[in-house]
Amino acid sequence: MFSVSFLTFVIYAALIWTALAFLCLVTLLIRDLKNKSLW
Amino acid sequence: MFGSGIDFPVSKRARVVISFLVGLLCLIASPALASPPAFDVEDPGKALQTDSGVIQLTWKSDDQTTTPQYELEHTPPGSEPFILPTGRDATRVISGLAEGDHRFRVRRAATGELPAGDWSSPLQVKNDFVERSKVVRLLWLGSIVVLATAIAIIHGFFSSRNLN
Amino acid sequence: MLLPENHYLSVAALSSQTAWAVVLTLSIVWVFLGFYWGRKAKDSEGFMLAGRNIGLAFGSATVMATWITSNTIMLAPQFAYEQGLWGVLAYATASFGLFLFAPMAVRIRKLLPEGTTAGDFFHLKFGKAGWVLFLIITLVYSLSWLVTMAVAGGELLNVLTGIDYKVGMSIILLVCVLYTLFGGLYAVVGTDFIQSLIILFGIILIGALVLTRIDIPETHSLLAERQPMLMQSYMPVALLSFFNIMLFGFGEVFHNNVWWSRTFAMREGIAPKAFTLAGLCWFPIPIAAGFIALSAGPLGINVTNTNQIGPAVAQYVLADAGFGAISGILILVVLFCSIASSIDSLLAATSDLLLKDVPQHAFGKKLTEASFRKAASLVIIGTGLVAWALALPRLPLYQILYASGPLVASLIWPVIGGLFWKRLHRPTVLLGIILACATGLYFYFAIGWYTASLVGAAVSMLMTLIARIIPKSD
């Protein structure tokens, strides 16, 4: 059976990872806007 | 009780009989004696089958209470029973069932005014997963195909880097 | 923590006025953006491929957003509730197709520097017969995906807002048709970026709130006691379909013009980075969106319908946290975005194929620039109308979508072989595609859906490998 630790790790990792994805896209947007390389 | 402004000469025996009949009527009409819910299945005596560990249970009741609430009792194989309140819903999706025979019963749950009703006849649910050998075979085949696909792509990428 | 009283699993409708206000606001915003960004498209290349100049931010977001469909948001919780932790982990592997497409994108750009569609590749490598096979498969798959998204949109609007199914479905489809019509790929990519941020934000917020309401050790303990298979490392139902789901995903990404058009639309060198990044961003989504369903039991929620377990648990948790009416609005907005971000991509990619491929590869003609815009409008509107007509009676096209698994999986190895191998016996590859489709479909109906894509891919792999050994004949 998956342990409590593994379940906790998976849930928190998924949420933190999703938050990082959000930040990454925002950062890239700012970078591309500055360089005028959006599209 | 029969006050209508008209006096009828009623004997003492008649009054006793009438009171008894009225009391009996009240007792019969009492929700505490409504028949317990029954699972909505074609053949109540036959066990339901599943191979996924998931089953949807539905039941019906002739309970005259305005808003009956229910509770489901689940007895997994080799374990003690536990209660799952379902509120006003007369259905529940049960998932994560272990392999083996499960037993379910349902009844009207106790509320502030009324005690819990009687349990329904039990419903057997048999969960039988696909045999392990089949799972292993598919896992092996899948691993080979996916690995081969990934290798082909990566190898192809590196080999074709200098190609036009 | 287990709450003492029972909670009904129902997705409470927003008030009619609020629902209409949200739907109309979103619709107006997307259509306006479509019109505004559409001004950048000066010619057919601008319309279909956004000038072949999309950067990393928009490139990653559009790939990620398109791959997040309402299935991701709705099905992931359902998988979690029915198949447990393995269910959502298996779902997350659908991102592997994006990772593996990254190196393929490099080769695609090299092989077809002026390419426009996936059809161009199939015609180049496998001739007209190969192109026709590809077109049949991709249209069956794309149309069934498009219609299931439209149906899902109508049903979700009905459940969340009380808006009649036909009206809601028509609105979603009309909005997507309009902004795709006005803006082409510029509008699709631009709106995808906004939609992806909204989706990510919504998933993080809901997931975080669920975490504040449950105690993971207690949740685990209750699941272990009452729904033990959800926490099992050997969960047959999830493991049976593990590689099947992955290969279905590979087939979808490797063959479909939705992804090829993005590859052609991105600036030089951007596509492999964008697909890799999109895969990384997409990977946690099914887990983050799905795990909330595991908390249904521990939260005392009575599950009556697993189809809606995700939004129902989300709404319960948000309402319990004091978000009130905003909870319904947030869920509506997230789901609207996930559906729209897929419908617009499908509309654009499918119409590109019909606009460009059919005249060129079937009739040997090319549309002139002068006639392009009018033709594009007709095709996009026509595609939208066909989808609408099929969605109206709520045909269960999701069955066709699932059955298209072996069809798309049959194209995995032909694409790999066509991209990377100089020598391929074309008739053998084409025979392999047909055999793979037939075998896969047989397994789908006779054995189970969980075998179909795997078998299709395996048969096609075998035939393509044989085709590599046979001396080239064309």
Side-chain angles (χ1 to χ4, degrees):
Chain A
M1 185 166 281
F2 290 122
S3 66
V4 178
S5 319
F6 185 73
L7 179 65
T8 310
F9 167 73
V10 166
I11 291 171
Y12 275 97
L15 283 172
I16 292 168
W17 193 329
T18 308
L20 286 173
F22 181 90
L23 289 172
C24 177
L25 287 179
V26 170
T27 308
L28 282 174
L29 176 73
I30 295 168
R31 187 196 77 161
D32 281 358
L33 272 170
K34 267 194 193 152
N35 297 339
K36 292 190 169 72
S37 58
L38 259 183
W39 50 13
Chain B
M1 175 161 75
F2 297 105
S4 59
I6 303 165
D7 280 329
F8 287 102
V10 180
S11 71
K12 192 176 175 182
R13 187 179 289 180
R15 267 190 241 127
V16 167
V17 169
I18 288 164
S19 302
F20 172 74
L21 285 174
V22 167
L24 190 63
L25 202 63
C26 291
L27 211 56
I28 290 167
S30 162
L33 285 187
S35 45
F39 285 106
D40 189 13
V41 288
E42 270 179 29
D43 186 352
K46 198 175 163 194
L48 292 180
Q49 304 277 342
T50 175
D51 63 356
S52 61
V54 181
I55 194 132
Q56 176 138 23
L57 299 179
T58 310
W59 51 92
K60 287 179 185 162
S61 172
D62 60 1
D63 201 314
Q64 300 298 309
T65 316
T66 327
T67 50
Q69 301 208 15
Y70 300 101
E71 53 190 21
L72 196 60
E73 182 196 69
H74 178 191
T75 311
S79 295
E80 291 299 307
F82 56 86
I83 302 285
L84 297 165
T86 68
R88 286 185 285 272
D89 298 320
T91 184
R92 185 180 180 108
V93 177
I94 314 276
S95 70
L97 292 174
E99 200 153 42
D101 294 312
H102 298 256
R103 193 181 87 135
F104 292 92
R105 297 193 298 174
V106 65
R107 69 177 177 183
R108 194 195 72 246
T111 60
E113 303 116 20
L114 295 164
D118 290 332
W119 285 111
S120 67
S121 306
L123 176 72
Q124 303 291 338
V125 173
K126 187 171 173 58
N127 184 37
D128 232 336
F129 289 120
V130 168
E131 60 265 21
R132 192 178 271 246
S133 58
K134 191 172 183 180
V135 177
V136 170
R137 270 200 305 273
L138 283 173
L139 283 174
W140 267 113
L141 180 61
S143 315
I144 291 166
V145 176
V146 167
L147 210 58
T149 304
I151 290 170
I153 292 169
I154 294 166
H155 178 264
F157 169 72
F158 284 110
S159 314
S160 64
R161 268 197 307 184
N162 299 320
L163 287 177
N164 287 322
Chain C
M1 83 206 126
L2 188 60
L3 299 174
E5 63 273 20
N6 169 259
H7 298 272
Y8 308 117
L9 187 79
S10 62
V11 185
L14 293 167
S15 73
S16 187
Q17 297 95 312
T18 312
W20 274 109
V22 172
V23 170
L24 286 175
T25 305
L26 281 174
S27 303
I28 290 167
V29 166
W30 298 144
V31 174
F32 169 75
L33 287 173
F35 181 73
Y36 179 71
W37 282 327
R39 296 177 310 165
K40 294 170 77 70
K42 306 291 181 207
D43 55 17
S44 59
E45 195 142 285
F47 188 83
M48 287 202 293
L49 297 177
R52 296 184 193 265
N53 200 38
I54 294 176
L56 189 56
F58 278 7
S60 315
T62 186
V63 170
M64 193 200 71
T66 304
W67 207 215
I68 299 175
T69 66
S70 65
N71 281 345
T72 320
I73 314 286
M74 301 288 282
L75 216 51
Q78 192 175 342
F79 268 45
Y81 191 75
E82 293 177 355
Q83 299 178 24
L85 203 52
W86 258 128
V88 287
L89 289 173
Y91 204 124
T93 64
S95 61
F96 292 5
L98 298 178
F99 292 132
L100 285 174
F101 195 70
M104 294 166 75
V106 177
R107 183 67 187 142
I108 287 169
R109 290 292 295 249
K110 220 181 241 185
L111 199 62
L112 295 156
E114 301 300 316
T116 315
T117 68
D120 289 343
F121 167 78
F122 277 89
H123 193 267
L124 174 71
K125 286 292 173 176
F126 303 111
K128 196 165 182 176
W131 172 76
V132 168
L133 260 180
F134 153 77
L135 198 65
I136 293 169
I137 291 173
T138 203
L139 285 177
V140 166
Y141 163 77
S142 301
L143 206 57
S144 54
W145 185 9
L146 179 58
V147 174
T148 50
M149 287 293 101
V151 169
E155 286 180 343
L156 281 165
L157 276 185
N158 180 245
V159 165
L160 292 172
T161 68
I163 293 175
D164 176 68
Y165 163 78
K166 287 178 184 169
V167 173
M169 180 274 293
S170 303
I171 290 174
I172 285 187
L173 214 40
L174 180 65
V175 166
C176 292
V177 164
L178 282 176
Y179 74 76
T180 309
L181 195 63
F182 291 146
L185 199 64
Y186 277 114
V188 169
V189 166
T191 53
D192 277 355
F193 186 86
I194 301 171
Q195 287 155 357
S196 61
L197 289 186
I198 292 172
I199 292 165
L200 290 173
F201 176 76
I203 289 171
I204 295 163
L205 178 67
I206 293 166
L209 280 172
V210 167
L211 275 186
T212 64
R213 276 169 149 74
I214 62 170
D215 174 60
I216 295 181
E218 190 178 333
T219 300
H220 181 275
S221 167
L222 274 166
L223 288 171
E225 182 201 332
R226 298 185 174 190
Q227 297 172 275
M229 290 312 292
L230 300 189
M231 290 288 111
Q232 279 296 348
S233 46
Y234 176 71
M235 181 21 167
V237 182
L239 292 174
L240 262 183
S241 57
F242 187 81
F243 288 110
N244 194 74
I245 293 173
M246 211 188 294
L247 286 162
F248 194 167
F250 286 8
E252 291 181 270
V253 174
F254 291 7
H255 99 277
N256 197 268
N257 198 45
V258 165
W259 316 104
W260 284 68
S261 59
R262 274 152 181 75
T263 305
F264 293 126
M266 293 185 208
R267 200 176 306 126
E268 189 68 43
I270 294 290
K273 292 178 198 164
F275 276 91
T276 307
L277 196 55
L280 285 170
C281 290
W282 195 93
F283 179 81
I285 306 272
I287 306 168
F291 90 90
I292 64 173
L294 292 176
S295 62
L299 285 172
I301 293 174
N302 183 49
V303 179
T304 59
N305 180 357
T306 53
N307 284 351
Q308 292 161 24
I309 188 170
V313 171
Q315 188 157 46
Y316 162 73
V317 165
L318 285 168
D320 198 54
F323 279 73
I326 299 175
S327 62
I329 295 172
L330 178 66
I331 294 166
L332 172 60
V333 169
V334 170
L335 284 168
F336 193 108
C337 287
S338 66
I339 290 168
S341 62
S342 303
I343 290 181
D344 61 11
S345 300
L346 281 163
L347 275 172
T350 309
S351 57
D352 283 353
L353 268 181
L354 296 172
L355 263 177
K356 167 104 185 1
D357 273 31
V358 171
Q360 188 170 334
H361 300 313
F363 304 109
K365 290 179 183 169
K366 254 180 144 174
L367 279 175
T368 60
E369 280 297 329
S371 59
F372 173 80
R373 210 53 196 254
K374 187 177 177 188
S377 305
L378 287 172
V379 169
I380 291 173
I381 293 170
T383 310
L385 272 173
V386 169
W388 179 79
L390 290 170
L392 211 57
R394 271 196 215 183
L395 292 175
L397 278 187
Y398 64 89
Q399 288 172 357
I400 296 183
L401 181 62
Y402 295 157
S404 71
L407 305 188
V408 304
S410 74
L411 295 176
I412 294 172
W413 276 79
V415 167
I416 294 172
L419 279 178
F420 296 120
W421 301 339
K422 276 190 166 253
R423 194 180 66 200
L424 264 187
H425 190 251
R426 194 186 280 178
T428 307
V429 174
L430 299 184
L431 178 65
I433 294 173
I434 296 169
L435 275 176
C437 291
T439 328
L441 284 171
Y442 169 77
F443 270 75
Y444 180 87
F445 291 107
I447 312 295
W449 67 271
Y450 50 86
T451 59
S453 301
L454 173 51
V455 166
V459 168
S460 174
M461 177 178 86
L462 206 61
M463 295 298 284
T464 309
L465 288 170
I466 292 170
R468 194 176 185 197
I469 302 167
I470 295 174
K472 191 175 171 185
S473 64
D474 61 346

